[in-house]
Amino acid sequence: MNTQIEPDSKPRRWLPQAIAGLVAVAAVGIGIAVLVPTLTAPPSASEPDVILEEGDTGDDEDISEDPLATVAVPTTAPLTSDEQVEIERVNVAVDLIVAATDEIAQRGDGSAVGIESVATGWVLGELQSKAREQYDLGYQQTGEAVVTSITTTAVDLAADPATMALKVCIDVSDIDVTDAAGNSLKAALYNPGHPVAHVYGAIFEDDTWKISTHEIPDVQDCPAA
């Protein structure tokens, strides 16, 4: 995985949009809001309503409290002035977010326990919502997303808190999602034939980098994997 830094990039503030990375599954008459790199919608997609399966009351009783296996407690350390060192730390956080998103979708048991170790703010809410929606709708993922590249587009280590922005290309071609009846939704997934570009924002919080914002940009220019 290659990491590139744009030398003239200026720090940018990333504002949350109405849940970035939504799935529109109009072809099967179901809407589900999720953070992806797993089940994803084109950049122009609008937020659908979440519709529970018939007979599903949204009861919390059976939601798992088992922590995610992919999210280890990060090693904390003070922020350094070495940009490359901090970029490498952020890249680890991105990889963990992608892996945790896969696990949430594969388990489908409602758990996002432990995600707060690598996510905060908007992204924390997205992943917690994704876990609940997968559970309510009975959706389950097979296959995994693959990060093909991470490009650092902005770094501000002097900010309080320090911030970073990244463009991440994620290959979702190996992923399928089945509904509660076991029907494949693969034909309805957003898969443009090349890795999907995601823009992540990270902040330095509690002596570690956490992913805080996420969007799927209109420009989808990730090269074929």
Side-chain angles (χ1 to χ4, degrees), residues 42 53 59 66 75 86 90 112 124 165 167 172 176 188-189 196 209:
E53 292 292 322
D59 189 3
D66 292 338
T75 302
E86 299 308 325
V90 172
L124 176 60
K167 173 187 172 184
V172 297
D176 191 8
L189 307 188
V196 179
W209 285 98

Side-chain angles (χ1 to χ4, degrees), residues 64-87:
S64 173
E65 296 182 358
D66 292 338
L68 300 175
T70 50
V71 182
V73 176
T75 302
T76 58
L79 187 72
T80 72
S81 58
D82 189 324
E83 193 170 280
Q84 189 57 45
V85 167
E86 299 308 325
I87 287 172

Side-chain angles (χ1 to χ4, degrees), residues 1-223:
M1 179 175 65
N2 297 324
T3 302
Q4 303 170 343
I5 305 174
E6 296 180 4
D8 296 326
S9 295
K10 296 180 180 179
R12 288 183 283 174
R13 231 176 249 283
W14 298 100
L15 301 177
Q17 298 182 351
I19 300 183
L22 300 178
V23 175
V25 204
V28 292
I30 299 174
I32 177 174
V34 295
L35 168 70
V36 277
T38 53
L39 184 61
T40 184
S44 59
S46 58
E47 180 177 359
D49 295 328
V50 174
I51 303 173
L52 301 183
E53 292 292 322
E54 184 176 354
D56 191 338
T57 62
D59 189 3
D60 292 344
E61 183 178 348
D62 295 327
I63 288 182
S64 173
E65 296 182 358
D66 292 338
L68 300 175
T70 50
V71 182
V73 176
T75 302
T76 58
L79 187 72
T80 72
S81 58
D82 189 324
E83 193 170 280
Q84 189 57 45
V85 167
E86 299 308 325
I87 287 172
E88 290 174 2
R89 292 176 70 182
V90 172
N91 288 353
V92 170
V94 169
D95 285 335
L96 288 174
I97 284 290
V98 173
T101 306
D102 275 340
E103 184 181 354
I104 286 170
Q106 289 164 349
R107 284 171 51 162
D109 60 4
S111 174
V113 176
I115 196 63
E116 63 277 0
S117 66
V118 291
T120 189
W122 189 256
V123 170
L124 176 60
E126 278 188 310
L127 287 174
Q128 290 171 336
S129 295
K130 174 185 175 67
R132 177 55 194 256
E133 288 156 356
Q134 294 281 120
Y135 171 80
D136 284 340
L137 291 167
Y139 281 16
Q140 197 159 25
Q141 174 183 307
T142 57
E144 297 179 350
V146 177
V147 175
T148 59
S149 68
I150 302 178
T151 302
T152 306
T153 59
V155 180
D156 190 349
L157 300 183
D160 185 18
T163 61
M164 206 173 294
L166 310 99
K167 173 187 172 184
V168 183
C169 291
I170 302 173
D171 183 3
V172 297
S173 60
D174 187 46
I175 287 174
D176 191 8
V177 175
T178 54
D179 64 17
N183 300 310
S184 172
L185 303 178
K186 190 174 182 67
L189 307 188
Y190 176 55
N191 183 5
H194 54 75
V196 179
H198 294 252
V199 175
Y200 287 104
I203 64 171
F204 194 74
E205 179 178 283
D206 299 329
D207 279 346
T208 190
W209 285 98
K210 296 184 179 183
I211 307 303
S212 57
T213 60
H214 165 251
E215 64 179 291
I216 300 179
D218 290 331
V219 177
Q220 288 292 314
D221 56 359
C222 290

